[in-house]
Amino acid sequence: SGTDTQQALDFTKKNYAVPNEKYFGIAKNKNVIYIHLESFQQYLVNFKLNGEEVTPNINKFFKDKETIAFDNYFHQVGQGKTSDAEMMLENSLYGLASGSAFTSKGDNVYQSQPAILGHHGYDSAVFHGNTRSFWNRDAVYKEFGIKNFFDSSYYDMNENDTLNYGLKDKPFFTESIPMLETLKQPFYAKFITLSNHFPYPISAEDATIDGANSGDSTVDGSFQTARYLDEALGQFMTYLKKSGLYDNSVIVMYGDHYGTSDNRSDALGKVLGDDDVTDFDVAQLQRVPLMIHVPGVDGFVDHSYGGQVDTLPTVLHLLGIDSKDYLQFGTDLLSTTHNQTIPFRNGNFVSNTVSYIGGKYYDQKTGTVLTDEQVTDEMKEQHNYVNNVLGFSDKVLQQDLLRFYTPEGFTPTKRSDYTYGNNST
Ligand code: GP9
Ligand code: MN
């Protein structure tokens, strides 16, 4: 109801973090390019396998003099995996406790990034080499205000160029370029990669490095598919630089979620040199990359704790759009009052001082379990915040609360304005 909406709004208003003056609006009117790194975790960044970097191009982007990179940024997905990551990045709302909100809440009202940017004169497109109905994207993207959805019907899906969930990343980027060039600037564009996905199959021809040696073929192969993704990206980066888009766009690269599930952590631990992967370690492994390239900015590695829900307010503020009037649960990572308590979807959390995992509090620096006496009021407050924020976010999705609130200057998205799919072939 309207009252529930007001309570959720009051909660987000109280949590709102004011933009950092140093960064607010420095990327005004620039294009925004998101690159969704499938199943890509932070441990891959700068990781060497057999003495060689696995992802040299991503490492280069991480260190770029104009990149603000985060090394304590966590995925927060639940069962909705990729779709949960997209939900969080486009709306700064959490996914649901079970299932995928894309599937069950695909008809809700949203005030998403592509629609917000649309009101600021942006064109928009998502590129993805799988069929558009996967994760119910063809329905929910319309509610998000995404003008163009280039799904597999726009690509050459020949046998050689496809594997696992769809188009391989190299032909994907190559074929996307002419479609990207049809967009009007400034644009929002999101590229959702596919090749680095469980169970990590790869052809002999595409495998340009040896796999790892843990004995778990999915863990071992994932280093080869990560390299393939990296090479595809390297080619795309070359294009972005040559075309001038690199200097005219905010480029956001992020990992969507874990690539290795908890029950394979021991195999992964073998490769990473950790022979006793504890519950605490598994939680720490949920770090994924977030790298934001901003033309002209003095780049650095930011060690603040953050999560996927924090991405949207951060990017909006870089573009000079205040998130204040939107119902968003994350806070700007670059704000001096950014909230560093990062909820996971199951109610666990991590933060710069303490982690809460499976009913136990851990000292974040040492990883040791805290005794009851050592658990401070502040930690309990963090725990409280986690329960509240997840509860409010669930209410927004379950009761479709954005129906009852329209931010000033925002026009509700109309599904009938959008048609997807290429019927010309
Ligand atoms: C499918 C792709 C994978 O189109 O985005 O989704 P996931 O299995 O990672 O949730
Ligand atoms: Mn995914």
Side-chain angles (χ1 to χ4, degrees), residues 364-381:
Q364 183 60 24
K365 284 212 178 68
T366 61
T368 48
V369 179
L370 301 181
T371 62
D372 289 352
E373 294 74 53
Q374 288 172 313
V375 177
T376 63
D377 285 350
E378 196 187 332
M379 295 172 188
K380 288 179 191 155
E381 233 169 81

Side-chain angles (χ1 to χ4, degrees), residues 349-387:
F349 69 84
V350 290
S351 79
N352 54 329
T353 52
V354 65
S355 285
Y356 176 82
I357 303 149
K360 294 184 195 129
Y361 291 88
Y362 294 76
D363 181 281
Q364 183 60 24
K365 284 212 178 68
T366 61
T368 48
V369 179
L370 301 181
T371 62
D372 289 352
E373 294 74 53
Q374 288 172 313
V375 177
T376 63
D377 285 350
E378 196 187 332
M379 295 172 188
K380 288 179 191 155
E381 233 169 81
Q382 286 175 271
H383 196 179
N384 230 345
Y385 161 78
V386 168
N387 291 332

